[in-house]
Amino acid sequence: MARAIRVSKTGGPEVMEYVEVEVGDPGPGEVRIRHAAVGLNFIDVYFRNGLYPQPLPNGLGQEAAGTIEALGEGVTGLKVGDRVAYAGRPNGAYAEERVMPAEILVRLPDSISFDTAAAMMLQGMTVQYLLRQTYPVQAGDTILLHAAAGGIGLIACQWARALGATVIGTVSSDEKGALAARHGCTHVINTKTENFVERVKEITGGKGVPVVYDAVGKDTFIGSLDCLRPRGMMVSFGSASGPVTPFGVSELASRGSLFLTRPSLGNYTATREDLDACAADLFAMVESGKLSIEINQRYALKDVGQAHADLEARKTTGSTILVP
């Protein structure tokens, strides 16, 4: 038996139950993995509160790192004892052990710890596809990044700086602004005291930016469109403040033939080749020292309710891990 988090209904942090589960043996194409560290991400909140539906009862969590304990029939390229990490569905990472598809696992370099891997796989690979594929950031670009002091934000600030871009980042406090600045954010905007649209126009001399990366959602969406230059790209990849209010597509034309995309990690890592390339790029950035993964919160797995409450209250910065 192993301990895991299960939900039988949607709702607040209180619906997560810390229970004993039977793990069992892996079937064809599966492995059994013992987790050393588990990542916490806002997408977990969406599944918990029902914004993203899933069959219930079920587990939560899409990111972890650990050691393979058993292989199912037909699994190749992996062996018992391998250090591995992953990010993606199916849910169930909030557990001491689990059986899962081998196809989403990547082998972890010896130079990267379990804690670092669990803190960066989902967020780091998200930043990789956002900055290198969705809109390939070039040296000299000035970009707008919301929630610049969050887990994705701190990684994106560093990666964009390494690419030679200038980052305008929004935060919700001066303390978070200082943190973002230390990680490569050139212009920090505190949305509690400043109008981010006005500040972006001021910083860019009225031209706007070529791309906005927005994981906040409802509260920032229209303002973000107003920050784009003609033919700029709006990248909406999260809904921390709630889903974007429906709008007419003519809003894009009236602001200068804008582009809008709603990307997800699963679509950018759908093939083995794409997954390996995305993870390899992330690992290389970390090993080069250009990316430092900031783990600012650690919670015991049994205390995941408090972790979710703190995440939703925007009390966290950088990355957060759960310790089984």
Side-chain angles (χ1 to χ4, degrees), residues 174-196:
D174 290 340
E175 292 77 15
K176 289 184 176 182
L179 181 62
R182 290 198 300 271
H183 286 76
C185 186
T186 309
H187 303 280
V188 177
I189 301 171
N190 184 341
T191 56
K192 298 295 185 183
T193 58
E194 300 175 281
N195 181 302
F196 75 85

Side-chain angles (χ1 to χ4, degrees), residues 280-296:
D281 198 8
L282 172 62
F283 293 158
M285 289 293 290
V286 173
E287 290 177 313
S288 73
K290 295 176 181 178
L291 282 186
S292 174
I293 306 302
E294 194 95 5
I295 304 174
N296 290 340

Side-chain angles (χ1 to χ4, degrees), residues 142 144 168 189 195-209 222-230 255:
T142 296
L144 175 59
I168 304 172
I189 301 171
N195 181 302
F196 75 85
V197 178
E198 293 177 358
R199 286 284 288 122
V200 168
K201 292 296 179 66
E202 177 185 327
I203 292 166
T204 62
K207 296 179 180 178
V209 294
I222 295 299
S224 293
L225 296 181
D226 290 334
C227 291
L228 286 165
R229 71 186 187 192
R255 288 171 170 82

Side-chain angles (χ1 to χ4, degrees), residues 295-318:
I295 304 174
N296 290 340
Q297 298 81 212
R298 285 178 167 84
Y299 300 83
L301 179 61
K302 64 182 178 63
D303 296 327
V304 67
Q306 186 62 56
H308 271 231
D310 290 347
L311 180 65
E312 290 183 275
R314 300 190 181 185
K315 293 181 179 179
T316 65
T317 60

Side-chain angles (χ1 to χ4, degrees), residues 26-322:
E30 295 180 331
V31 303
R32 186 173 73 242
I33 178 174
R34 176 171 291 277
H35 290 150
V38 177
L40 176 74
N41 297 281
F42 222 100
I43 193 172
D44 306 340
V45 173
Y46 301 155
F47 280 106
R48 189 210 72 216
N49 65 22
L51 180 62
Y52 290 179
Q54 67 170 343
L56 296 176
N58 214 322
L60 289 175
Q62 297 195 2
E63 174 183 47
T67 305
I68 293 178
E69 293 195 322
L71 301 176
E73 182 182 353
V75 174
T76 60
L78 297 169
K79 65 182 184 299
V80 172
D82 276 352
R83 302 171 71 251
V84 293
Y86 64 89
R89 301 181 72 175
N91 282 329
Y94 289 5
E96 294 174 339
E97 297 179 62
R98 71 181 295 197
V99 169
M100 62 181 300
E103 63 185 5
I104 71 168
L105 294 172
V106 294
R107 296 179 68 178
L108 194 60
D110 291 339
S111 60
I112 297 177
S113 71
F114 287 130
D115 283 6
T116 297
M120 77 175 188
M121 288 301 293
L122 193 148
Q123 296 170 347
M125 290 199 297
T126 296
V127 172
Q128 195 281 338
Y129 82 71
L130 289 175
L131 270 60
R132 305 308 296 139
Q133 300 184 67
T134 305
Y135 174 90
V137 173
Q138 305 295 319
D141 281 344
T142 296
I143 68 174
L144 175 59
L145 171 69
H146 288 296
I152 286 176
L154 294 185
I155 295 172
C157 284
Q158 296 174 78
W159 204 320
R161 177 180 60 184
L163 293 171
T166 296
V167 181
I168 304 172
T170 68
V171 296
S172 59
S173 72
D174 290 340
E175 292 77 15
K176 289 184 176 182
L179 181 62
R182 290 198 300 271
H183 286 76
C185 186
T186 309
H187 303 280
V188 177
I189 301 171
N190 184 341
T191 56
K192 298 295 185 183
T193 58
E194 300 175 281
N195 181 302
F196 75 85
V197 178
E198 293 177 358
R199 286 284 288 122
V200 168
K201 292 296 179 66
E202 177 185 327
I203 292 166
T204 62
K207 296 179 180 178
V209 294
V211 62
V212 177
Y213 295 107
D214 188 352
V216 175
K218 176 173 63 68
D219 291 351
T220 53
F221 184 80
I222 295 299
S224 293
L225 296 181
D226 290 334
C227 291
L228 286 165
R229 71 186 187 192
R231 292 186 292 171
M233 177 175 286
M234 174 66 184
V235 183
S236 175
F237 66 99
S239 307
S241 66
V244 172
T245 303
F247 71 102
V249 293
S250 60
E251 298 285 347
L252 303 177
S254 66
R255 288 171 170 82
S257 300
L258 303 180
F259 294 88
L260 168 64
T261 184
R262 178 76 177 189
S264 68
L265 179 62
N267 289 320
Y268 280 86
T269 57
T271 68
R272 186 77 237 181
E273 182 181 15
D274 287 342
L275 173 60
D276 286 343
C278 188
D281 198 8
L282 172 62
F283 293 158
M285 289 293 290
V286 173
E287 290 177 313
S288 73
K290 295 176 181 178
L291 282 186
S292 174
I293 306 302
E294 194 95 5
I295 304 174
N296 290 340
Q297 298 81 212
R298 285 178 167 84
Y299 300 83
L301 179 61
K302 64 182 178 63
D303 296 327
V304 67
Q306 186 62 56
H308 271 231
D310 290 347
L311 180 65
E312 290 183 275
R314 300 190 181 185
K315 293 181 179 179
T316 65
T317 60
S319 298
T320 300
I321 62 171
L322 306 173

